[in-house]
Each structure stands twice: as structure tokens, then as C-alpha cells.
């Protein structure tokens, strides 16, 4: 008698090898057997017509805060994601001294577009060290979490205010090394750093004050553990990106660790630049370095209202300034004042091709409902004005609660993106799950991989797509015992219908603590998600068992199997 038997499924085992029909038996949290299973299971699932694959791994998320009130990382888990990596881009929620909590909240608010109120009302701050944070999120954890330590946070812990002002002294670097060791011992999968992000005052984040020696010293600690380094390079500039990936390659070779950078977007106007970056990636891999670019599957869509600062306006300083620092009243005053309005409109000129194509997503008043779904060009025509004026007028009429969407802004060439996703040295990631909650909904990036690139375009086989988001990711990140359906591996398993798996439409929901809202997507075609042998979610019954683990877990015995 097994704990669980999944019968008659088509096994896509994560190795990239051709699929086959078989049953899967699970005992405890492990896969006990794959084949024809005559014995009964305490639980049985009929997977006839379904694909049975390893759970998907999402290596680039910011679920750090959400995990404190939602151990399922909804709705990521329902899309088949059984392991997430939070703590990317130099930001994690630990280690963190009490006096810097609000500083970090400010950074999450600015960089990851997460609401201040959610932290105020959704978070009970009862940890400081990394190990205490891990203990905290373990309660009710349903998804597996492989957390990164953020370099900015590490600096704040050791240097305090000086972390935001200068390079570190040798003593401070050595103190950071010690704290990083503690974090890795407590279960961190690696370290993240950023070369681009700005804090809530629009000043560089602490990690940007580090010099190369500091990064090298921290990487040497990663080398002691064989753990990964994630960075955000100056991704808007190919020369700087290439310089960063050369720096990563040297670190990777020196300490024999994997490294990864994100994001890498391919747009109509940067294909030559992406070709150059990929050529350098190939050259560095040929030298034996590991510098994994992360590429997302979905095109870029960005939604916004003027009630919340949006990164879409980052390069329009007068707009971004009032969104970032103004109260709702001040923003509306700025829109009403003729002189100010003229200045804003003048500054909007570089985006003149963007405004007409923006679509009105939602409004509150009855009078404006008739415009919902229309482009600003269409509404401007009906009102005898310009698209930018319409955006301002509607925002005033709706007391800033008018939502607009810029659809398909980039990363949308099927051929170019498909080619990148298939590339053996590309790693699928950069979802940003848990972040940018009113700008876009990443949930369903994996469904989109199957519906668009496997089913519609035939750009890759289902076996190749599954491998990309399971065993490839587990191997790159050093996540033990996951990513394959094989005897002895942990039973993180997804059952889905290959003919219908997809991402649902983006929808606006109010489920964020502090009366907050966000955009999410339902999972289509996913039937059952199993984590650690327990049924974590089914399409029929929703969220269920909580058997998530923190990976790679506390320090394990690392003595060699055969004595030297
Ligand atoms: Zn990020």
C-alpha cells in the first residue's frame, strides 16, 4: 500500500527525454516507484489524458513579504509552481535589525511596487536574524522556498546608515562574510545584489555602494558552500551588461559557483545588443564559467493609475516626482494647475507613440464606464482632445482611481523570444512574482510557455519546456532532489492537460492586507499540484495541504562521500 498513486498519466519527467505512460507511487514525501503499480494507494488520482511532470521552479520572485501572510504564495502554486526563490535583486526581509524595518519597507515599495499598508497591516515583525525569519515563514508553508540573502540588507545589518553612503572597510567586509555564513547555514540558497535599483528617496540602494573587493569577498563565502550569486546588471545598456557578465564569469571561475543575471529582454530595437550579450555568454560558458541569463516568457504589459507610483514613468521626472512624493491632493493639484499641466504634457513628448495606444482598464464613475476597454486615441477623438489630456482628465474625474494599461510594450517577438527561451544557456525566470502587484500579473508565465511556445508556435517540445522550468532550474540553483520525476526524488508533482494549459486573463482582486489590490491570473488546464507528497492544490477543491520546505535547508553534512 502506497500513500498516493497517480495512475495512467503521461510522464514528462523533467529530463527532456520523450514522454511515456506509467503510474507514479509516492510514500511520505518521496517518489517510491514509477511504472505499472498493482498495489493500491491510500489516495489515488486518475491522470488519464494528463501530463504528470515535476513541479515548476520559479527562480526570480519577491514573495518575501507575501509568505508572511500566505504560505501558498497564491496564485503561483495553483499554476504548478512548487518552489520559489525570493530575496532577489539585493532585497530580502532578513537579516534585518528592528531600526531598519521601515527603510526596507520603503525599498520594497519603491523597487518592487509593493504597498506600504500591506507591510503595516499584514506583517508581525518578530524576527531579526535570517534563521528567525526562516522559522517564521515555515509556519503554514505550502510552497517550497529557496531564499536568497539580499546584499543591500546584509550591508544595512553590518554598516547601518553608512551602508547607504560608502564602500566598506576590511573589518566590515569580514563582518558581512560572517553574517552571510550564518544565513547560508540557516538555509539561504545564495546571495543577490543589484547594480541599478534606487531606494524610496531615489538614491542608490546599499549594494550599489559596494566595491569589487566586497563583492569578491562575499562570493568567496558562496564558494565555501557552492551557492549561487544573482545580480541585476545595468540591463538597459549592453556594454555595461557585458562588463557585468565578465565580472560574474571571473567570480564563477574563481570560486566555482553558478551566477545568474536578470532580466534580459529582447525588443525590436535591441536584437543586435541581445545577440552580443548572448555571444559573450557563450564565450564565458566555453571558458567554464556559469553566467546564466534569465529570460521571461511573457511580453511586457504594464498597468497603472496615478494613485500609486509606477516605474513606467521613471524616465519622466516631473511625472514620477509627483507620483512618488505627492499626496493624492497634490497630484490632482498638479494636474489642475494650467502651468504645471503644460509642463507635464511637454515632458511626455518622448513617449508620444505610447499614449494613444494605452487602454482604459477600469474607472469608478458611471459616466466613464463607456470608455472602458477603449484606447486613449479613441477616447480623445470622442472628446475632441489629445490622448495625454484624456489620461489627465480621466484621472481627475476619477479622483486618480482610473486605471490604464500599456499592452505588449516589448519582449513580444515570438521568433526572437522563442529562440532565446530554447537556448541551452538561457534560464527561464525573471517572473518577479509577489512584486509589481498593480503593474502586471506574472502568474501563469509557465502556462504561457506551454500555450504559446509549445502548443501555438511549436517552438519547443513539451519535454523541452518542462525540462527548462524543472530540472534545469534545480541544477542551476543547486536545489537538491527536485526537478525530476524519479525514484527517490521529492514528490513535487504537477498534473496538467497539455491541450488546455494556459494563463487566464489578468484580473483585479482585493486580497492584499491593508485593503490592497493586485492583478492576478487563474491557472487554466492545471489539475493537481503536489508538494512533498501532499495535495497542495486541486482545480476542484483549491488550496489544501501545507508541506512546503525551506531549501536547501539548514547546514547539512558536507563531508565528502569518499575520504580524500
Ligand atoms: Zn526582481
Amino acid at each position: 500500500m502506497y500513500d498516493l498513486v497517480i495512475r495512467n498519466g503521461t510522464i514528462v519527467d523533467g529530463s527532456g527525454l520523450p514522454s511515456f505512460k506509467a503510474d507514479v507511487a509516492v510514500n511520505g514525501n518521496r517518489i517510491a516507484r514509477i511504472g505499472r503499480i498493482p498495489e493500491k494507494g491510500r489516495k489515488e488520482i486518475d491522470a488519464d489524458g494528463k501530463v504528470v511532470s515535476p513541479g515548476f521552479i520559479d527562480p526570480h520572485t519577491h514573495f518575501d513579504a507575501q509568505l508572511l501572510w500566505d504560505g501558498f504564495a497564491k496564485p503561483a502554486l495553483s499554476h504548478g509552481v512548487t518552489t520559489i526563490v525570493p530575496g532577489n535583486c539585493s532585497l530580502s526581509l532578513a537579516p534585518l535589525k528592528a531600526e531598519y524595518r521601515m527603510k526596507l519597507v520603503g525599498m520594497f515599495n519603491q523597487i518592487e511596487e509593493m504597498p506600504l499598508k500591506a507591510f503595516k497591516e499584514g506583517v508581525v515583525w518578530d524576527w531579526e536574524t535570517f534563521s528567525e525569519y526562516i522559522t517564521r515563514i515555515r509556519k503554514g508553508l505550502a510552497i517550497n522556498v529557496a531564499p536568497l540573502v539580499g546584499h543591500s540588507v546584509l550591508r544595512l545589518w553590518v554598516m547601518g546608515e553608512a551602508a547607504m553612503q560608502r564602500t566598506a572597510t576590511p573589518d566590515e567586509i569580514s563582518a558581512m562574510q560572517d553574517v552571510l555564513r550564518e544565513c547560508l547555514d540557516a538555509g539561504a540558497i545564495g546571495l543577490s545584489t543589484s547594480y541599478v535599483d534606487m531606494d524610496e528617496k531615489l538614491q542608490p540602494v546599499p549594494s550599489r555602494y559596494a566595491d569589487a573587493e566586497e563583492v569578491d569577498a562575499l562570493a568567496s563565502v558562496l564558494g565555501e558552500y557552492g551557492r549561487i550569486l544573482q545580480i541585476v546588471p545595468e540591463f538597459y545598456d549592453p556594454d555595461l551588461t557585458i562588463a557585468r557578465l565578465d565580472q560574474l564569469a571571473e567570480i564563477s571561475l574563481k570560486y566555482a559557483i553558478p551566477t545568474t543575471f536578470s532580466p534580459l529582454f529582447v525588443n525590436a530595437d535591441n536584437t543586435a545588443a541581445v545577440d552580443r550579450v548572448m555571444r559573450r555568454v557563450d564565450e564565458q560558458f566555453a571558458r567554464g564559467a556559469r553566467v546564466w541569463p534569465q529570460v521571461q516568457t511573457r511580453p511586457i504589459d504594464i498597468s497603472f493609475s496615478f494613485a500609486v507610483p509606477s516605474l513606467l514613468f521613471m524616465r519622466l521626472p516631473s511625472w514620477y516626482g509627483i507620483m512618488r512624493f505627492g499626496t493624492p491632493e497634490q497630484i490632482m493639484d498638479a494636474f489642475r494647475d494650467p502651468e504645471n499641466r503644460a509642463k507635464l504634457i511637454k515632458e511626455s513628448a518622448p513617449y508620444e507613440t505610447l499614449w494613444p495606444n494605452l487602454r482604459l482598464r477600469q474607472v469608478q464613475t458611471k459616466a466613464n464606464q463607456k470608455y472602458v476597454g477603449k484606447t486613449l486615441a479613441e477616447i480623445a477623438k470622442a472628446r475632441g482632445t489629445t490622448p495625454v489630456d484624456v489620461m489627465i482628465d480621466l484621472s481627475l474625474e476619477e479622483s486618480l482611481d482610473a486605471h490604464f494599461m500599456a499592452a505588449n510594450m516589448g519582449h513580444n517577438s515570438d521568433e526572437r523570444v522563442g529562440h532565446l527561451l530554447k537556448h541551452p544557456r538561457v534560464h527561464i525566470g525573471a517572473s518577479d512574482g509577489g512584486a509589481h502587484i498593480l503593474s502586471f500579473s506574472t502568474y501563469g508565465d509557465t502556462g504561457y510557455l506551454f500555450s504559446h511556445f509549445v502548443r501555438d508556435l511549436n517552438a519547443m517540445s513539451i519535454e523541452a519546456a518542462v525540462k527548462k522550468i524543472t530540472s534545469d532550474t534545480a541544477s542551476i540553483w543547486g536545489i537538491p532532489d527536485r526537478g525530476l520525476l524519479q525514484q527517490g526524488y521529492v514528490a513535487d508533482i504537477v498534473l496538467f492537460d497539455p491541450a488546455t494549459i494556459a494563463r487566464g486573463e489578468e484580473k483585479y482582486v482585493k486580497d492584499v492586507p491593508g485593503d490592497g489590490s493586485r492583478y492576478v491570473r487563474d491557472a487554466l488546464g492545471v489539475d493537481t499540484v503536489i508538494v512533498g507528497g501532499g495535495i497542495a492544490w486541486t482545480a476542484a477543491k483549491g488550496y489544501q495541504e501545507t508541506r512546503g520546505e525551506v531549501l536547501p535547508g539548514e547546514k547539512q553534512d558536507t563531508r565528502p562521500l569518499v575520504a580524500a
Side-chain angles (χ1 to χ4, degrees):
M1 178 81 110
Y2 290 103
D3 289 337
L4 171 67
V5 179
I6 303 162
R7 297 202 183 274
N8 308 314
T10 298
I11 312 291
V12 177
D13 69 2
S15 67
L17 296 172
S19 63
F20 56 93
K21 296 252 185 199
D23 307 330
V24 179
V26 173
N27 260 343
N29 71 342
R30 300 267 166 176
I31 296 170
R33 252 179 73 198
I34 297 176
R36 189 55 61 211
I37 316 265
E39 296 93 333
K40 282 244 158 284
R42 261 173 218 99
K43 275 186 201 153
E44 300 237 344
I45 301 175
D46 180 16
D48 188 31
K50 307 266 176 355
V51 161
V52 180
S53 85
F56 310 145
I57 303 173
D58 186 343
H60 191 122
T61 82
H62 298 278
F63 280 114
D64 308 70
Q66 191 177 324
L67 286 170
L68 294 165
W69 61 78
D70 167 21
F72 290 91
K74 294 172 190 169
L77 191 138
S78 69
H79 286 271
V81 175
T82 54
T83 299
I84 51 172
V85 178
N88 277 278
C89 308
S90 96
L91 297 180
S92 54
L93 282 181
L96 180 64
K97 290 177 182 157
E99 65 256 47
Y100 290 108
R101 283 172 183 158
M102 288 310 116
K103 171 72 199 167
L104 206 68
V105 167
M107 289 199 281
F108 267 98
N109 175 245
Q110 163 63 24
I111 301 160
E112 309 302 347
E113 302 183 304
M114 292 155 70
L116 299 171
K117 260 183 116 183
F119 284 93
K120 271 189 201 132
E121 295 184 26
V123 176
V124 179
W125 298 90
D126 54 3
W127 72 91
E128 286 201 339
T129 67
F130 199 81
S131 152
E132 287 164 355
Y133 173 76
I134 294 300
T135 305
R136 181 70 157 64
I137 60 168
R138 273 214 175 96
K139 285 179 208 153
L141 194 61
I143 198 162
N144 300 310
V145 177
L148 287 161
V149 185
H151 185 190
S152 287
V153 186
L154 205 55
R155 283 191 125 236
L156 270 180
W157 179 274
V158 169
M159 299 172 68
E161 294 294 320
M164 297 168 275
Q165 292 155 3
R166 58 166 174 84
T167 53
T169 63
D171 283 351
E172 286 164 341
I173 291 178
S174 130
M176 275 188 247
Q177 287 183 305
D178 288 342
V179 181
L180 178 56
R181 280 188 197 97
E182 278 172 31
C183 298
L184 295 168
D185 284 340
I189 190 114
L191 178 75
S192 71
T193 196
S194 165
Y195 292 98
V196 292
D197 291 306
M198 294 199 284
D199 70 9
E200 75 290 358
K201 295 176 186 150
L202 303 186
Q203 298 302 309
V205 291
S207 66
R208 293 178 61 189
Y209 291 92
D211 56 18
E213 283 87 82
E214 179 179 328
V215 175
D216 182 82
L218 295 173
S220 80
V221 173
L222 295 174
E224 295 165 18
Y225 293 72
R227 302 269 170 91
I228 197 166
L229 175 65
Q230 181 265 344
I231 75 156
V232 192
E234 295 86 339
F235 58 89
Y236 45 82
D237 181 313
D239 292 315
L240 293 175
T241 300
I242 286 172
R244 285 297 170 210
L245 85 84
D246 287 349
Q247 185 188 351
L248 283 184
E250 294 314 316
I251 286 174
S252 173
L253 286 168
K254 189 169 171 190
Y255 300 112
I257 57 168
T259 68
T260 177
F261 63 96
S262 53
L264 180 65
F265 293 120
V266 59
N267 297 320
D269 58 356
N270 77 347
T271 55
V274 170
D275 286 344
R276 280 181 55 218
V277 170
M278 286 308 299
R279 262 200 305 278
R280 188 60 68 97
V281 166
D282 287 342
E283 285 163 13
Q284 294 295 9
F285 267 94
R287 293 175 65 216
R290 285 172 283 171
V291 281
W292 293 98
Q294 275 183 40
V295 176
Q296 70 182 47
T297 61
R298 68 175 187 283
I300 301 172
D301 296 335
I302 297 184
S303 296
F304 67 93
S305 76
F306 286 98
V308 176
S310 163
L311 295 177
L312 183 64
F313 288 83
M314 198 75 170
R315 290 190 183 177
L316 303 177
S318 311
W319 293 81
Y320 195 70
I322 53 163
M323 287 172 96
R324 177 73 245 174
F325 300 112
T327 61
E329 266 318 310
Q330 287 167 330
I331 296 171
M332 287 193 280
D333 284 346
F335 284 164
R336 281 187 205 110
D337 176 61
E339 214 172 291
N340 219 319
R341 182 169 173 140
K343 186 175 147 208
L344 289 170
I345 290 175
K346 195 165 169 224
E347 201 183 271
S348 71
Y351 288 6
E352 64 185 358
T353 55
L354 173 72
W355 313 120
N357 297 312
L358 291 183
R359 246 170 233 287
L360 185 64
R361 276 197 88 139
Q362 54 167 309
V363 289
Q364 310 308 315
T365 69
K366 249 202 189 111
N368 286 325
Q369 293 299 337
K370 59 178 180 284
Y371 298 128
V372 170
K374 294 203 172 2
T375 64
L376 293 191
E378 291 164 342
I379 307 170
K381 200 171 165 213
R383 288 184 163 199
T385 179
T386 72
V388 181
D389 280 291
V390 155
M391 180 168 73
I392 294 174
D393 291 338
L394 286 170
S395 298
L396 282 171
E397 290 159 29
E398 300 293 328
S399 306
L400 304 186
D401 213 353
H403 298 250
F404 306 92
M405 180 179 192
N408 230 4
M409 288 183 69
H411 201 64
N412 52 1
S413 150
D414 288 338
E415 202 199 322
R416 300 284 315 180
V417 176
H419 178 77
L420 262 189
L421 294 177
K422 270 196 299 209
H423 195 292
R425 286 165 183 152
V426 162
H427 166 207
I428 294 185
S431 85
D432 265 341
H436 309 293
I437 64 175
L438 279 173
S439 289
F440 52 78
S441 168
T442 152
Y443 316 104
D445 282 14
T446 45
Y448 187 74
L449 174 69
F450 293 111
S451 69
H452 198 63
F453 291 101
V454 175
R455 214 161 54 225
D456 298 348
L457 300 174
N458 226 341
M460 61 207 297
S461 67
I462 194 158
E463 290 91 345
V466 167
K467 175 173 181 280
K468 275 283 185 185
I469 54 176
T470 57
S471 69
D472 275 11
T473 324
S475 303
I476 292 166
W477 284 76
I479 297 173
D481 299 344
R482 263 121 177 141
L484 285 173
L485 289 190
Q486 276 177 19
Q487 192 177 332
Y489 272 66
V490 174
D492 292 345
I493 302 173
V494 188
L495 275 65
F496 65 88
D497 180 347
T500 60
I501 186 170
R503 57 178 197 173
E505 285 297 312
E506 202 169 77
K507 63 179 193 185
Y508 186 79
V509 295
K510 286 197 171 247
D511 68 351
V512 180
D515 278 336
S517 19
R518 59 176 183 151
Y519 290 108
V520 296
R521 294 175 189 274
D522 289 334
L524 305 179
V526 178
D527 184 81
T528 303
V529 183
I530 295 165
V531 177
I535 314 270
W537 181 87
T538 66
K541 290 190 185 159
Y543 295 96
Q544 299 169 52
E545 291 183 65
T546 54
R547 294 208 204 169
E549 283 182 60
V550 175
L551 307 172
E554 283 101 326
K555 193 167 189 177
Q556 288 150 6
D557 191 346
T558 51
R559 283 172 301 176
L561 294 174
V562 177

